[in-house]
Amino acid sequence: MTDSMILTDVSDIAARYPEWITADGRPGYSGYIVAADHLLEFCRMVRDDLDYDLLSMVAGVDYITENMMEVVYYVYKTTGGGALVFKVQTPRDNPVVPSIFPIYPGAELQEREIYDLFGINFEGHPDLRRIFLWEGFAGHPMRKDWKEPYYEEELKPFKSRWPQGHVYRAEDELTPLKDNVQFPAGFDPYDWEAEGEQMLYAQLRKLQNAGDEELKTDRMIVNLGPQHPSTHGVFRMAALIEGEQVVELKPVVGYLHRNHEKIGERNTWQQNMPFTDRLDYISSISNNFGYVLAVEKLMNVKPPERAEYLRVLFAELTRLSNHLMAVGFLLNDLGAYFTPALYGLEERELILDIFEIVTGSRMMCNYMRFGGVVRDLPEGSYEKIRDLAFDRLPRKIDDIDAYLTGNEIVRVRCEGIGVLTAEEAIKYSLTGPNLRASGVPYDIRRADPYSIYDRFDFDVVVRYHGDVYDRYLVRLEEMRQSIRIIQQALKAIPEGPIMTGKSAYQVRVPAGEAYGRVEGPKGELGFYVISNGKGNPYRYHVRAPSFINLHGLAPMSRGGKIADVVVNLGALDIVLGEIDR
Amino acid sequence: MSTEELNTPGMQVPPELQNQVSITTLNRIYNWSRRNSLWPMMFGLACCAIEMICAAAARYDFARFGFEVMRPSPRQADVMIVSGTVTKKMIPQIVRLYNQMPEPKYVIAMGACASGGGPFKEGYNVVSGVDKFIPVDVYIPGCPPTPQALLNGMITLQKKVDNESLKEVRWYKKGASEPIPVPVLGPDLMDPRKFGLIKEESQKMLEQQQMPGTGPAAEEAPAV
Amino acid sequence: MNGLGIIRGLGVTFKHFFQTYLEDLRAGKGRYFTEEGVQARSRADQKGLFTVQYPEEKLPVPEEFRYNPFLVYDEGPNGEQNLRCTSCGICAKACPPQCIWIVRSDDPVTGRPVPVPAEFYIDIDICMNCGSCAEFCPFDAIKMDHEYEIASYDRIAHHIYDKAKLSKSAQYYATIRPTNAAREDAERAAKEAAKAAKAAERPVRKIGPENAN
């Protein structure tokens, strides 16, 4: 690429090409703004010369007053360290940005998401279709001027609730059709021809007739889901199969698209907290964690010592409960119906009991606040956590290990299935246990430590085969490491306050952008927030690990048997609340 | 199988026969056998589905009530537990699944989302309660309902079954019951039962826009 | 491929299976259908049967457990219900899904707002049980309930809770959340005492209307 000068830093590129790359000078912002026509060139330099090999997040932002849309990219090095941020701007009337798919294939689904919700066209994208909504849906909902049928006011809190809050149901009062729907003027439903899934199937049909010429077998398209017992929710896959073999597979998502981000931009900062619980509903406290980190970066507050310990303690308990469930349900998908899952759920119940005692809810913990946590450990809960962490859980994890790891059927079904090499895993932006099972020791708790993780002694669990069995082993071992962290945290937790300042229902956040990320149980969970200095976020985007890990599903499944697709899915450990948001 | 539950009150059974003979009505034995083998459909939507799994697992174990096993096929299921947020993209499938269930069939709306939209009600892709499309028998409030709350809801459903009468139940009425029309995904979700209304409203909107001097579309409106 | 792994795994399940009977024998009567039994089966050292046989035995909910919100009233000397709520509207503003509706009442003579809600509604089909209202209420007037057995056959008529349905006594609150209630009562008493002391210090200064919000 470069012949005369070795690039060591992104500022070298900026210095070299001042005509198309500038530093982002807006107050509170960081990174570089790259001209759209040089984006691919820039990406190539960043990846090949600067070693930023992991594309973490792509987000769209609609700056309506500047009549401009922006696409924000965050890339990281898998060897650790901070982010490189770059942005591309495009006019609002005809937003076009080149797709970075050729360089970072992990952008595929994220670019589709932006196309769906913002209407930005990505030139050169191999399969640019709507992802959460369906073909034919009117409008791009995340644009700031798009209004939903139940639109009431731009920002919460709504004025109609107090002091003259005469109760109503939204469907009775807000829309003419008495339902959560709206249609373009002059629309005639009798003339409507649903486009349906034609575009999805067209992609698969291209391959349908490209079979082996010598031995002619029919290839057919099979749909799995959205109502399928082992798709972990309302997930759907369209697979092109030849006999038992999968030729191509497309994930179809959006069946649980709950408009998290649109609602998130209407909410106040604090109101978003319980909504984050419902992203990855199996591990709600890690969602809280990511969100408070992002907002605390902007607010520039730090929680007190005890709160930091409590956060780590509960984040690790969450990881345990998630992995117990993941391991159990992987076995479910393998056909070991329910006993392993029951064993996992039994331990999970005991962890949930602790959540219920401390936070008030089993699943939707709503535990963290900006600058601390909501509640100290009530009486008796410390002992409960101690008993679990020092006695029961290590024993039970050994039990699960003895029960499953050596089982020959499990090994036959898992070893060598769904293999992803380290290069592939990085290329498709996989994170979390799935990346580590492919031999990349990338754990944000170590690579870019947040909170107080740098004080704990734990191992980053890595396995090197990149198959389903290694993913299982990584999760099993990670549980042991989590217990180690919990044990250290329990011993070292200091007395003291749990909040910096006072928790308020409305906070003002200084203008700027921030990206807070944690090593969630499923991978890198990031929150990208933009504040314009007011009481509500201007942009609120979630980098959901399950969603981006889905890039790995098709490469894992290609060439394998159709029965292994569910196993691959189980090993990826997805949760739909997070994928569809 | 306690005979007290099955026996019709007021009927005197001689003491020597009390544990061997039950005197009951047809209604009672019909409902008794039905209420103790309501098989739910294995079908989860969102957060509540996890609590449903917990209710099926070791600690709460709803098999104790005869909710024996979850069936992945709607053809073998009696109860549909709508466990989670119903989105517009998913409702056609839910209606189709409901239509495929054989009578007698029941629906439990688990949690705030399934009952009335829940916290996500304001969202553009969320159906304001599954009862907009399919009839719901029991609503369980909560976000999410704990497994015990779900069990309570299921017992509530059993009580409903207890009070049904053979003479009145809809599946013995003459004539086949009509399937619920499956919603269509258009520019927004379209309920086939409301096509006329949708057309009317959109026409009204068009007329409003075409009225001179109102709205930006006034200039662009085609002069016919 | 010798099957030893499977046999070892089966050993784990067999151990699990027989433990139930061993524990039953060891613990004897009182393991089932008693409060202590349920608690013993939920402890970290529990073995054997894990099932809680709802509805005969119920898993106790912890004090912080939150379900739907309710309004706390203090009982007056003549049995009247004095809601603690001053209709300041903070809960309605803090509520993430905006499911609280409050009508503030006005004095019919002066037209100025009085600190009592005229109407108070919560749509529990929207409520997400997050506890924000209770957390941010400055008057300890709205709290999260423990009552979860509220399944119903009809939502249109029953699922918008009004003031009458939401009101529950302070005694009830103190029974479901004893430590919280005691702490809050003490805090409130201290505040009142401080206020009274201040008022006694400067009796001349007139203090504005009490309904500052």
Side-chain angles (χ1 to χ4, degrees):
Chain A
M1 192 79 228
T2 50
D3 35 21
S4 60
M5 179 176 155
I6 298 162
L7 296 166
T8 54
D9 196 350
V10 70
S11 55
D12 295 346
I13 308 180
R16 213 158 142 197
Y17 305 104
E19 58 280 9
W20 52 262
I21 170 163
T22 49
D24 190 346
R26 292 171 286 183
Y29 285 66
S30 62
Y32 296 88
I33 296 173
V34 183
D37 42 350
H38 289 277
L39 179 66
L40 286 181
E41 193 183 331
F42 179 80
C43 285
R44 201 162 286 130
M45 275 191 269
V46 163
R47 187 192 63 181
D48 297 340
D49 300 338
L50 302 180
D51 288 334
Y52 282 96
D53 46 359
L54 184 74
L55 173 80
S56 163
M57 184 205 70
V58 186
V61 189
D62 180 12
Y63 289 100
I64 188 164
T65 45
E66 282 111 88
N67 197 25
M68 176 260 288
M69 294 231 220
E70 196 173 79
V71 183
V72 185
Y73 302 86
Y74 271 70
V75 290
Y76 286 92
K77 292 176 181 175
T78 46
T79 46
L84 168 61
V85 188
F86 54 96
K87 296 154 191 182
V88 177
Q89 296 180 336
T90 177
R92 234 176 145 261
D93 325 314
N94 179 28
V96 184
V97 171
S99 167
I100 61 165
F101 176 81
I103 294 148
Y104 292 112
E108 185 189 350
L109 294 177
Q110 304 194 64
E111 284 182 345
R112 274 181 66 190
E113 178 191 338
I114 297 170
Y115 166 74
D116 186 2
L117 302 181
F118 286 89
I120 299 178
N121 275 304
F122 287 90
E123 266 179 341
H125 190 283
D127 185 16
L128 200 61
R129 286 179 287 122
R130 287 230 173 206
I131 184 162
F132 293 143
L133 297 160
W134 54 92
E135 300 296 333
F137 184 83
H140 301 285
M142 283 304 288
R143 289 192 174 198
K144 286 281 174 189
D145 53 355
W146 192 90
K147 292 185 171 52
E148 58 264 62
Y150 283 171
Y151 177 82
E152 199 174 336
E153 253 176 79
E154 197 51 45
L155 300 170
K156 282 180 187 173
F158 297 142
K159 290 188 186 65
S160 65
R161 301 297 196 267
W162 178 85
Q164 291 302 315
H166 293 288
V167 72
Y168 61 85
R169 285 195 163 94
E171 56 267 45
D172 298 338
E173 303 236 333
L174 291 180
T175 53
L177 285 163
K178 307 252 178 256
D179 209 350
N180 188 10
V181 288
Q182 61 187 6
F183 294 94
F187 172 73
D188 185 357
Y190 295 103
D191 292 345
W192 175 261
E193 261 180 63
E195 207 171 323
E197 318 275 46
Q198 293 314 313
M199 281 178 80
L200 164 68
Y201 294 136
Q203 287 282 331
L204 294 171
R205 285 215 181 88
K206 263 189 234 161
L207 291 162
Q208 195 165 21
N209 304 320
D212 197 348
E213 286 308 313
E214 283 174 30
L215 188 72
K216 202 82 175 137
T217 42
D218 268 355
R219 292 180 166 186
M220 56 188 221
I221 296 169
V222 170
N223 269 300
L224 289 102
Q227 189 267 331
H228 186 279
S230 51
T231 53
H232 295 221
V234 283
F235 182 68
R236 179 179 153 205
M237 296 169 274
L240 181 71
I241 53 169
E242 186 175 307
E244 280 279 294
Q245 242 175 20
V246 178
V247 179
E248 177 59 308
L249 183 129
K250 294 260 176 209
V252 186
V253 299
Y255 292 97
L256 190 55
H257 180 47
R258 302 194 275 197
N259 332 117
H260 191 86
E261 292 181 7
K262 186 82 180 173
I263 294 175
E265 285 166 22
R266 187 144 291 151
N267 283 347
T268 63
W269 293 96
Q270 168 55 34
Q271 281 173 350
N272 266 339
M273 191 69 70
F275 277 95
T276 60
D277 288 337
R278 284 145 180 92
L279 277 171
D280 175 355
Y281 35 74
I282 298 174
S283 35
S284 63
I285 291 180
S286 3
N287 306 341
N288 291 174
F289 207 172
Y291 181 57
V292 290
L293 281 185
V295 180
E296 279 171 0
K297 258 186 207 169
L298 281 175
M299 291 171 68
N300 207 8
V301 290
K302 266 200 91 61
E305 253 330 66
R306 186 172 172 87
E308 292 273 29
Y309 272 94
L310 286 174
R311 283 181 178 187
V312 168
L313 191 63
F314 279 89
E316 294 307 317
L317 279 174
T318 306
R319 191 185 315 280
L320 268 167
S321 76
N322 178 78
H323 284 356
L324 283 166
M325 196 143 175
V327 168
F329 281 88
L330 169 67
L331 266 289
N332 235 7
D333 294 343
L334 280 169
Y337 183 67
F338 232 36
T339 312
L342 283 179
Y343 284 15
L345 284 171
E346 186 173 331
E347 306 317 310
R348 182 175 175 266
E349 282 287 337
L350 292 173
I351 296 173
L352 293 191
D353 277 356
I354 290 169
F355 290 168
E356 200 175 24
I357 290 169
V358 179
T359 73
S361 181
R362 288 157 50 87
M363 281 170 72
M364 306 306 174
C365 297
N366 189 14
Y367 187 51
M368 293 184 194
R369 296 289 177 272
F370 310 126
V373 295
V374 68
R375 196 170 292 109
D376 207 337
L377 297 176
E379 211 186 306
S381 50
Y382 178 87
E383 288 72 24
K384 267 190 185 286
I385 304 174
R386 189 193 58 203
D387 290 351
L388 274 189
F390 282 94
D391 173 38
R392 183 173 175 105
L393 288 173
R395 198 156 37 87
K396 288 291 168 176
I397 288 163
D398 288 346
D399 254 9
I400 292 178
D401 194 1
Y403 178 30
L404 301 172
T405 310
N407 187 310
E408 282 81 2
I409 303 172
V410 173
R411 297 187 63 155
V412 167
R413 283 296 308 273
C414 291
E415 282 178 342
I417 302 295
V419 179
L420 279 186
T421 62
E423 290 75 38
E424 279 177 316
I426 295 171
K427 196 171 86 175
Y428 291 115
S429 292
L430 261 63
T431 47
N434 297 311
L435 180 64
R436 291 193 283 277
S438 292
V440 184
Y442 181 72
D443 185 324
I444 300 169
R445 292 175 292 176
R446 270 288 149 74
D448 186 11
Y450 55 93
S451 189
I452 50 164
Y453 273 108
D454 46 356
R455 299 186 197 170
F456 296 106
D457 181 24
F458 67 98
D459 300 333
V460 174
V461 184
V462 195
R463 291 287 182 278
Y464 297 92
H465 297 103
D467 56 4
V468 171
Y469 192 61
D470 275 8
R471 288 186 193 108
Y472 157 76
L473 289 179
V474 165
R475 292 213 170 85
L476 202 64
E477 190 53 37
E478 249 177 40
M479 287 198 267
R480 295 198 173 109
Q481 299 302 332
S482 283
I483 292 174
R484 266 177 82 187
I485 296 176
I486 293 170
Q487 290 176 344
Q488 292 168 45
L490 281 173
K491 279 180 191 153
I493 187 165
E495 289 296 322
I498 51 157
M499 247 338 259
T500 304
K502 200 171 177 303
S503 170
Y505 68 95
Q506 256 169 339
V507 289
R508 273 184 181 279
V509 176
E513 62 170 0
Y515 182 62
R517 58 176 195 153
V518 293
E519 180 70 32
K522 300 193 163 65
E524 176 185 337
L525 173 69
F527 285 81
Y528 177 67
V529 289
I530 297 181
S531 169
N532 53 5
K534 302 221 174 77
N536 307 61
Y538 183 76
R539 177 82 176 100
Y540 166 76
H541 174 73
V542 186
R543 188 247 187 241
S546 309
F547 177 57
I548 292 159
N549 284 351
L550 273 186
H551 285 112
L553 185 61
M556 277 159 81
S557 306
R558 257 178 231 135
K561 298 274 188 286
I562 186 89
D564 292 334
V565 171
V566 271
V567 180
N568 290 336
L569 189 72
L572 269 183
D573 186 20
I574 58 162
V575 62
L576 266 293
E578 191 172 71
I579 290 181
D580 293 344
R581 276 160 286 150
Chain B
M1 198 201 309
S2 58
T3 37
E4 303 90 69
E5 240 179 279
L6 202 53
N7 264 330
T8 306
M11 288 286 187
Q12 290 306 316
V13 183
E16 65 269 24
L17 290 177
Q18 232 152 38
N19 285 322
Q20 293 147 43
V21 174
S22 279
I23 298 178
T24 186
T25 58
L26 196 56
N27 252 338
R28 228 173 145 86
I29 194 165
Y30 176 69
N31 289 337
W32 172 82
S33 50
R34 253 166 3 103
R35 55 111 70 184
N36 286 320
S37 86
L38 290 166
W39 288 6
M41 185 152 74
M42 191 192 261
F43 160 69
L45 288 175
C47 334
C48 290
I50 307 298
E51 289 294 55
M52 183 174 74
I53 292 168
C54 288
R59 195 180 219 176
Y60 301 99
D61 188 17
F62 61 39
R64 293 180 294 120
F65 300 95
F67 294 100
E68 204 52 47
V69 277
M70 289 189 152
R71 304 309 298 180
S73 162
R75 303 281 184 206
Q76 302 162 348
D78 307 299
V79 192
M80 180 184 210
I81 302 175
V82 184
S83 53
T85 317
V86 181
T87 62
K88 290 180 185 171
K89 200 170 173 178
M90 192 62 197
I91 189 73
Q93 277 81 343
I94 294 175
V95 171
R96 218 170 270 158
L97 287 169
Y98 178 78
N99 286 341
Q100 286 173 2
M101 281 167 68
E103 288 276 16
K105 55 188 169 188
Y106 299 93
V107 177
I108 295 179
M110 180 184 180
C113 288
S115 307
F120 297 94
K121 183 170 183 173
E122 59 195 289
Y124 50 85
N125 192 27
V126 176
V127 175
S128 316
V130 73
D131 55 2
K132 293 260 181 288
F133 291 91
I134 58 177
V136 173
D137 295 285
V138 173
Y139 298 89
I140 308 172
C143 187
T146 56
Q148 296 196 27
L150 174 63
L151 291 180
N152 176 262
M154 293 172 129
I155 294 168
T156 314
L157 177 66
Q158 289 188 326
K159 283 184 193 143
K160 178 172 185 155
V161 175
D162 276 342
N163 290 329
E164 278 173 341
S165 154
L166 263 174
K167 271 187 267 179
E168 286 157 26
V169 292
R170 61 176 184 271
W171 47 94
Y172 290 131
K173 292 261 168 72
K174 283 214 174 85
S177 63
E178 286 293 311
I180 291 166
V182 178
V184 185
L185 294 174
D188 210 324
L189 185 74
M190 300 191 291
D191 188 343
R193 296 169 293 192
K194 288 188 188 164
F195 271 11
L197 196 67
I198 291 169
K199 189 173 177 181
E200 214 173 280
E201 282 295 330
S202 326
Q203 283 300 327
K204 240 190 258 171
M205 245 164 78
L206 191 68
E207 278 157 29
Q208 251 169 24
Q209 280 182 7
Q210 280 172 348
M211 263 193 308
T214 55
E219 290 86 24
E220 293 159 23
V224 182
Chain C
M1 273 291 108
N2 46 18
L4 267 180
I6 294 178
I7 292 166
R8 226 176 124 205
L10 283 176
V12 175
T13 47
F14 268 114
K15 198 177 91 196
H16 210 96
F17 176 70
F18 286 117
Q19 235 159 25
T20 300
Y21 297 99
L22 286 176
E23 278 305 302
D24 284 358
L25 281 176
R26 214 168 52 91
K29 261 197 171 168
R31 186 166 159 77
Y32 300 103
F33 306 113
T34 58
E35 247 171 68
E36 302 79 57
V38 173
Q39 246 146 23
R41 276 181 287 143
S42 301
R43 273 208 304 267
D45 57 356
Q46 73 88 20
K47 287 182 201 138
L49 194 69
F50 192 49
T51 309
V52 176
Q53 303 190 34
Y54 181 91
E56 287 82 16
E57 43 183 33
K58 284 177 191 172
L59 208 59
V61 288
E63 180 167 347
E64 296 299 343
F65 178 70
R66 49 186 151 83
Y67 218 65
N68 291 319
F70 70 97
L71 294 172
V72 185
Y73 67 78
D74 292 307
E75 208 153 315
N78 306 322
E80 71 265 29
Q81 302 181 354
N82 299 320
L83 281 182
R84 288 181 183 172
C85 177
T86 62
S87 72
C88 69
I90 286 178
C91 52
K93 286 176 203 155
C95 176
Q98 298 281 293
C99 69
I100 301 178
W101 280 262
I102 305 170
V103 181
R104 194 171 56 190
S105 48
D106 294 326
D107 193 313
V109 188
T110 59
R112 292 174 64 179
V114 270
V116 184
E119 286 167 56
F120 201 111
Y121 298 102
I122 293 178
D123 188 342
I124 60 159
D125 281 342
I126 299 179
C127 176
M128 66 202 294
N129 305 165
C130 66
S132 293
C133 47
E135 187 182 335
F136 296 114
C137 177
F139 303 101
D140 302 322
I142 185 165
K143 292 290 166 196
M144 303 305 280
D145 206 347
H146 280 184
E147 179 63 50
Y148 56 85
E149 290 160 323
I150 42 176
S152 66
Y153 297 121
D154 176 28
R155 80 179 171 98
I156 300 297
H158 298 301
H159 280 196
I160 291 185
Y161 284 17
D162 59 4
K163 205 166 85 179
K165 199 163 179 183
L166 286 167
S167 301
K168 290 187 177 176
S169 71
Q171 282 91 335
Y172 171 75
Y173 174 57
T175 50
I176 61 168
R177 288 169 196 257
T179 53
N180 277 333
R183 196 192 61 231
E184 286 158 7
D185 285 345
E187 274 171 16
R188 247 200 335 275
K191 225 187 254 175
E192 296 271 309
K195 219 175 177 180
K198 221 173 176 183
E201 217 170 79
R202 281 184 283 171
V204 200
R205 276 283 293 274
K206 195 171 182 324
I207 297 170
E210 295 280 280
N211 58 338
N213 40 43

